[in-house]
Amino acid sequence: MHVYKFSTPQKIQSRVVPIPTALSQAGVDPYLEFLKCHIEQRLLFDLPANTGRYREKVRKWFSG
């Protein structure tokens, strides 16, 4: 089983999240390799943030 470790420099503890088989089949593995090759630490590294706070856009995307 593949997993992705989410971490933060703040007080929130890191989390290890299993990657579903369907997501692996959809091509997440090559994307994760791309991130490693380009030394990106964020999963959605190119997501813009008007406030300079990356998490604001991510929160809005996933909370609806």
Side-chain angles (χ1 to χ4, degrees):
M1 174 185 295
H2 288 73
V3 297
Y4 190 82
K5 182 179 179 182
F6 290 92
S7 59
T8 176
Q10 298 170 342
K11 294 179 182 180
I12 301 170
Q13 291 185 346
S14 298
R15 294 186 178 123
V16 176
V17 178
I19 298 173
T21 303
L23 191 55
S24 290
Q25 292 172 345
V28 77
D29 292 332
Y31 181 70
L32 294 176
E33 283 301 316
F34 170 83
L35 294 177
K36 286 180 188 176
C37 291
H38 289 86
I39 312 171
E40 293 292 345
Q41 295 183 345
R42 298 184 313 185
L43 186 61
L44 303 173
F45 69 93
D46 59 345
L47 188 65
N50 294 337
T51 62
R53 293 170 40 186
Y54 169 75
R55 68 175 183 247
E56 290 299 317
K57 282 284 189 182
V58 174
R59 182 184 56 81
K60 288 179 184 177
W61 271 28
F62 291 104
S63 66

